[in-house]
Amino acid sequence: RAVPEAAMAAERPLSLFALSAAAVSRSMAALERDVWALPGHLLRGLLPLLTVFRLERAEDAARRAGLSTQPIWRKLWDDVMKTRPPNSESITCWRKKFLETFFSNVLHGVLDVSSDWRLNDRHFSPLLHSSPHVSQLTLCNMLQGAVELTAEHNHKVLENLAGSLRILKFQHLLSCDQSIRHSLVLLLHRLIHHGSVSQVSMYSWPDPDTVLLVLILSMSAGFWRSGKALAYHGSPCGLCREEDKAQSQESAQEGAERGCNTKREGSDGENQKGSPEEADAHMNSVLSSPRSPLQNPLCGEANSEVSCAHTSTEGGSSPRSSSERLCCHPVPRKTRRRLKPAVGRKRRCLRRSRADPEDLYDFVFTVARERNSGLLDKTRTTEGENTENWTSSSPASPCTGHAGCKKRGAPGGNFSLKAADRFRSVSTLELFSISLTGETCRTLSNLLSSWVSLENLVLSYNGLDANIFCILSGLRALSRRPECRLRVLRVSDVFSHMSCMELVRCVLSTLPQLHTLSVSFDLKNQLEGSRPEGSSSCSEAEIPESCLEQLEIRFPREPLHTLLLLPVLKASKSLQQLSLDSATLPCSQELGLLLQVLKECTPNLKKLSFHDVNLAEHQKEVLLLLQDPVLQEIRFSFCRLFESSTAEFLSEIINTVKRNSSLKSLKLPGNRLGNQRLVALADIFSEDSSSSLCQLDVSSNCIKPDGLLEFTKKLESHIQQRGGQIQFTHLRLFQNWLDQDAETAQEALRRLRAVCSVVSDSWDSSQAFADYISVM
């Protein structure tokens, strides 16, 4: 391989050093060790001439020489990817960014490694050498990536991903055949159950394949039936075999230490000397006892008293580093932790754990007929004494154990935890634009009820409607477990099945341990008769003292009634962030009442945000907020602040902010500031100001280049008067009219960037205006 002349075209004529560097780069296989020992000034000129393979290996040598390879990786990105990555200003490691994107592009066949000489190295295996840098991976369409990664020749690639991958995404999935689903099972088992994946996200699947969807959900929750279905190229999973062996030995040892009876001691001795199947049969009888922590909480209450150390943590079982991986010597598959109560079935479990690849999705639609009905009735009788009316009294509410729910949960898709083994599970589940039917919601509810490792749940545009009660039922069962870790819940959809405040009260009465709750709806459901009976009791549900720190509510143009919000705020003494979006104020006194309630009930509130709330007639309340001594960030986004205001109002805002030393961030996007008001805002940083303002957001405010330049000059003048002492660090300028005079805009931005960090964009204001006219 020769370095193309284009790589040296910047220097004509070529210097002796350039010629020597090019020759060395062509002989790196023989000279690598000597090159890494070169002085820094020589290494600096050589690094840009290396292939990706050699450049990645040069990191340690460059670091020792005090050199950074970041500019080289950034240039590689520009030359190879030919796109500007989103949020490029926040990228801290271009090496990782390039190799992670490179891996994904090669996996999906959208990048040809022969397209650039720096990618074309005979020592370089694209997937293998980039996989250790991949922490986030997206699989699309027909899951071709899953098939490729589980192919035998990519065995080492999959092992690398098991240690590096943290976020697994699925996007635009399509129905696939059984062989592809089998590949997906292998992939999820390795990356989740025996890997480091902590987040599973699914996007844009309006008509999902139910079998495939439930498969991903169940394996993300740590459930699957082991056996041949988890075999890898004809051999059982070696990591499962190792864990089973260790558990069997541990169980036998504990039995001996407790001084078990002679028969059991003899059995333990035989287990240690005899076949693995016999040892595992004993282990299964212990793990499937009525005290097993893996029983479905909807089928028994005793399980909530015992913690499952193997599955309750995010990294429940760390990836193995031993040489024995998924492909191992064939051995009989041993039963892992059983979810089935052991009532006369201690031995039958072994047989039921085997499943052929042809039966992969049998487990998804298994109906637990054996004693299921009786157990549910018994459990619900016990739990029903303490349940709120909205979950216990409504025959139309799913997942509550009533006859109506059981009828709908017939063989179509009721998820049976009793037929499964349990493995490590993820801590974050995100479902964006995934249509969830009632059947799928009941399955998800059943999974959620024992998903103790789950910390973050995002359900966005899933068409839940009345099925939100089914999801809440599963979350309520989860919250009763002492090892429950759920702290973040975000729910958004087109239609709201109930008022936002009712839903907030329902959630907090069910999950008082939440730290973050976000509820967002576009439109109010006009079908008044579609709500379940008894659901109105949500508004009367008592809210226990909660741990809530962040509350976000996006109203579907509903009036904001402070009296309904009051119980939530009283129960949330730890609240630090409150965001109210698209609410209407039913009367002029409503906002004042809200401010009074916030002052009395939320002493720790630091961030307050209003978006698309008409505050044009509430100038007094706006000024009261700006002088609050506790708030550190205030956002008025598209709130029509200056729609009917006078110059005196702007002057009062500036003087109020100048006197407030606690306010750190002021965000005013979409309020039609214009040039004149923007220039006036520069006085916040005048010499007589005691403001500590660090961040100012004036995006979408009809600002033109000449106004921005005048603001910059005035800001520079104030900074000079203060001797260069100013705390202002960030300015956001998105979607302003800066394209009307590019030269003036560039000068203003250049001078601003000498003062603070400026975030802007190349927004086409003419096209935006045309779009606005077209929809008028």
Side-chain angles (χ1 to χ4, degrees):
R1 177 190 54 83
V3 178
E5 292 183 4
M8 309 298 298
E11 299 183 38
R12 295 292 188 189
L14 294 178
S15 65
L16 178 60
F17 174 81
L19 289 171
S20 302
V24 169
S25 68
R26 289 192 295 267
S27 307
M28 283 296 293
L31 301 176
E32 184 177 83
R33 183 173 299 180
D34 296 326
V35 169
W36 300 158
L38 289 174
H41 66 282
L42 296 178
L43 195 58
R44 182 184 292 109
L46 183 60
L47 288 175
L49 303 178
L50 300 179
T51 63
V52 168
F53 176 72
R54 300 296 174 185
L55 182 61
E56 204 275 333
R57 292 166 65 91
E59 286 294 325
D60 290 338
R63 192 178 299 109
R64 288 194 301 268
L67 303 175
S68 172
T69 61
Q70 291 300 303
I72 304 174
W73 289 107
R74 173 61 196 264
K75 188 175 187 308
L76 264 170
W77 176 280
D78 294 338
D79 294 345
V80 176
M81 304 302 175
K82 297 180 172 59
T83 59
R84 180 182 178 183
N87 302 319
S88 57
E89 66 277 355
S90 63
I91 296 175
T92 58
C93 182
W94 281 97
R95 172 197 181 196
K96 181 185 185 301
K97 179 65 177 178
F98 176 84
L99 290 173
E100 187 173 60
T101 307
F102 173 79
F103 178 93
S104 179
N105 288 350
V106 172
L107 179 66
H108 294 102
V110 297
L111 178 62
D112 183 5
V113 294
S114 64
S115 62
D116 193 289
W117 65 270
R118 289 163 292 188
L119 310 178
N120 192 10
D121 190 310
R122 64 186 180 89
H123 300 285
F124 183 51
S125 175
L127 294 181
L128 180 61
H129 288 103
S130 58
S131 55
H133 302 275
V134 179
S135 60
Q136 178 174 298
L137 179 64
T138 301
L139 299 177
C140 309
N141 303 329
M142 295 292 293
L143 295 169
Q144 302 93 329
V147 176
E148 178 66 19
L149 289 175
T150 53
E152 194 164 6
H153 62 271
N154 281 324
H155 166 71
K156 182 58 178 174
V157 175
L158 188 57
E159 292 304 300
N160 288 342
L161 289 178
S164 66
L165 197 65
R166 298 294 183 271
I167 301 174
L168 183 59
K169 298 181 179 180
F170 298 92
Q171 191 169 19
H172 304 299
L173 292 187
L174 302 173
S175 297
C176 56
D177 59 30
Q178 195 167 315
S179 63
I180 295 178
R181 285 198 299 268
H182 182 65
S183 296
L184 180 62
V185 168
L186 298 177
L187 185 73
L188 295 178
H189 182 61
R190 187 64 187 96
L191 297 182
I192 297 178
H193 300 166
H194 295 301
S196 303
V197 170
S198 58
Q199 174 178 326
V200 169
S201 303
M202 285 186 273
Y203 300 83
S204 305
W205 202 3
D207 187 20
D209 179 331
T210 305
V211 172
L212 190 57
L213 175 59
V214 175
L215 170 67
I216 296 173
L217 291 175
S218 61
M219 296 195 74
S220 298
F223 290 104
W224 191 246
R225 186 196 306 184
S226 51
K228 290 183 181 180
L230 292 177
Y232 186 75
H233 301 298
S235 300
C237 172
L239 298 178
C240 290
R241 184 157 59 90
E242 285 183 0
E243 291 183 359
D244 284 342
K245 182 178 179 181
Q247 291 174 7
S248 178
Q249 292 175 348
E250 181 181 353
S251 176
Q253 183 178 355
E254 290 178 356
E257 291 175 355
R258 287 195 302 265
C260 298
N261 57 54
T262 305
K263 181 178 179 180
R264 177 168 295 186
E265 287 178 355
S267 174
D268 290 341
E270 291 175 6
N271 286 339
Q272 294 176 359
K273 298 178 183 180
S275 67
E277 293 90 336
E278 292 176 347
D280 204 56
H282 167 70
M283 180 190 72
N284 182 72
S285 67
V286 175
L287 294 177
S288 59
S289 66
R291 297 184 58 194
S292 170
L294 297 170
Q295 290 176 293
N296 181 2
L298 299 181
C299 299
E301 195 69 24
N303 54 7
S304 63
E305 301 175 0
V306 187
S307 167
C308 175
H310 180 67
T311 59
S312 64
T313 61
E314 176 183 333
S317 58
S318 60
R320 301 298 180 89
S321 59
S322 65
S323 59
E324 183 173 271
R325 304 295 182 181
L326 284 173
C327 187
C328 308
H329 300 292
V331 295
R333 173 71 183 127
K334 294 184 284 294
T335 302
R336 294 176 57 80
R337 303 186 177 218
R338 276 292 152 225
L339 295 161
K340 178 182 295 186
V343 184
R345 309 190 189 280
K346 297 181 181 180
R347 300 293 177 181
R348 287 179 58 189
C349 295
L350 275 172
R351 295 299 179 189
R352 296 190 57 157
S353 70
R354 299 193 178 273
D356 293 326
E358 291 78 9
D359 300 325
L360 264 180
Y361 54 87
D362 283 356
F363 168 70
V364 173
F365 294 118
T366 298
V367 181
R369 294 186 177 91
E370 302 169 355
R371 302 177 300 106
N372 189 44
S373 178
L375 282 170
L376 277 172
D377 290 338
K378 181 179 179 180
T379 302
R380 290 307 170 190
T381 301
T382 304
E383 290 185 359
E385 297 174 0
N386 299 317
T387 56
E388 286 80 10
N389 293 333
W390 64 270
T391 57
S392 61
S393 63
S394 171
S397 300
C399 305
T400 60
H402 297 290
C405 183
K406 289 183 203 172
K407 183 177 181 180
R408 289 190 299 272
N414 197 21
F415 184 83
S416 173
L417 303 182
K418 297 170 63 180
D421 291 336
R422 187 135 196 193
F423 300 84
R424 177 186 177 274
S425 54
V426 302
S427 60
T428 298
L429 176 67
E430 297 180 340
L431 303 179
F432 297 95
S433 300
I434 309 291
S435 179
L436 299 179
T437 64
E439 180 181 290
T440 311
C441 285
R442 287 189 290 276
T443 298
L444 179 58
S445 175
N446 209 11
L447 290 171
L448 290 172
S449 65
S450 60
W451 200 332
V452 293
S453 71
L454 191 65
E455 299 176 8
N456 303 276
L457 177 62
V458 179
L459 300 174
S460 180
Y461 294 93
N462 308 119
L464 292 178
D465 203 54
N467 288 320
I468 185 65
F469 293 103
C470 182
I471 301 298
L472 288 175
S473 177
L475 292 177
R476 183 175 178 278
L478 175 63
S479 69
R480 288 190 162 190
R481 290 174 168 264
E483 65 269 38
C484 172
R485 291 185 164 196
L486 188 64
R487 296 297 179 266
V488 178
L489 176 62
R490 300 183 184 275
V491 179
S492 58
D493 221 320
V494 176
F495 292 105
S496 64
H497 188 67
M498 62 176 75
S499 74
C500 286
M501 289 313 308
E502 276 189 283
L503 182 56
V504 167
R505 296 184 64 158
C506 280
V507 172
L508 288 181
S509 62
T510 303
L511 298 162
Q513 71 271 38
L514 282 180
H515 288 180
T516 298
L517 173 61
S518 176
V519 173
S520 172
F521 294 102
D522 298 336
L523 301 169
K524 187 175 181 180
N525 195 339
Q526 300 300 319
L527 302 178
E528 296 295 336
S530 64
R531 292 173 52 174
E533 298 177 13
S535 62
S536 60
S537 61
C538 284
S539 58
E540 287 83 33
E542 183 178 353
I543 305 176
E545 185 174 348
S546 73
C547 303
L548 197 65
E549 297 177 356
Q550 181 176 346
L551 176 61
E552 302 172 358
I553 306 175
R554 181 166 175 256
F555 298 85
R557 291 295 169 192
E558 288 181 3
L560 171 63
H561 294 294
T562 303
L563 291 179
L564 296 179
L565 187 60
L566 180 59
V568 174
L569 297 177
K570 282 185 175 181
S572 307
K573 302 294 184 182
S574 302
L575 192 67
Q576 298 181 20
Q577 300 182 44
L578 175 62
S579 175
L580 302 174
D581 187 341
S582 303
T584 60
L585 300 173
C587 62
S588 58
Q589 294 80 24
E590 195 68 36
L591 185 58
L593 178 60
L594 174 63
L595 300 188
Q596 183 65 30
V597 169
L598 289 175
K599 185 176 181 180
E600 295 175 357
C601 300
T602 56
N604 299 309
L605 191 66
K606 299 293 188 297
K607 297 181 180 181
L608 180 61
S609 172
F610 292 92
H611 175 78
D612 198 14
V613 179
N614 189 352
L615 301 179
E617 306 299 329
H618 297 82
Q619 298 177 10
K620 177 182 176 182
E621 288 80 6
V622 169
L623 293 174
L624 286 174
L625 281 173
L626 290 174
Q627 67 186 29
D628 189 287
V630 179
L631 288 174
Q632 297 179 4
E633 178 179 310
I634 298 177
R635 178 184 181 92
F636 298 115
S637 174
F638 295 88
C639 290
R640 309 183 193 179
L641 284 183
F642 306 104
E643 187 173 275
S644 58
S645 68
T646 62
E648 288 74 16
F649 177 55
L650 178 62
S651 178
E652 289 177 334
I653 286 179
I654 294 171
N655 291 328
T656 301
V657 175
K658 286 171 65 174
R659 293 191 298 268
N660 190 343
S661 59
S662 62
L663 188 63
K664 306 295 181 184
S665 177
L666 179 60
K667 300 181 178 181
L668 303 170
N671 285 288
R672 300 189 180 183
L673 278 173
N675 284 357
Q676 186 176 355
R677 293 190 182 97
L678 174 68
V679 174
L681 286 179
D683 288 335
I684 292 175
F685 308 98
S686 63
E687 188 177 8
D688 62 340
S689 173
S690 58
S691 171
S692 300
L693 198 67
C694 301
Q695 301 181 20
L696 179 63
D697 187 347
V698 290
S699 301
S700 304
N701 269 299
C702 310
I703 297 169
K704 298 180 181 179
D706 56 337
L708 183 62
L709 182 58
E710 190 176 348
F711 168 82
T712 303
K713 292 177 179 179
K714 194 172 185 180
L715 182 62
E716 289 174 338
S717 175
H718 289 321
I719 293 174
Q720 186 177 6
Q721 291 173 4
R722 298 179 63 164
Q725 300 297 321
I726 189 172
Q727 298 186 37
F728 185 49
T729 57
H730 290 81
L731 177 66
R732 296 177 67 88
L733 287 166
F734 287 111
Q735 295 186 349
N736 281 299
W737 298 352
L738 303 184
D739 60 329
Q740 294 187 0
D741 185 347
E743 186 176 347
T744 303
Q746 288 304 315
E747 181 185 355
L749 291 173
R750 177 181 57 79
R751 294 173 68 167
L752 271 174
R753 288 185 174 114
V755 175
C756 62
S757 173
V758 181
V759 182
S760 184
D761 58 1
S762 54
W763 190 57
D764 187 350
S765 59
S766 61
Q767 182 59 49
F769 183 73
D771 292 342
Y772 174 73
I773 293 296
S774 68
V775 297
M776 286 183 64

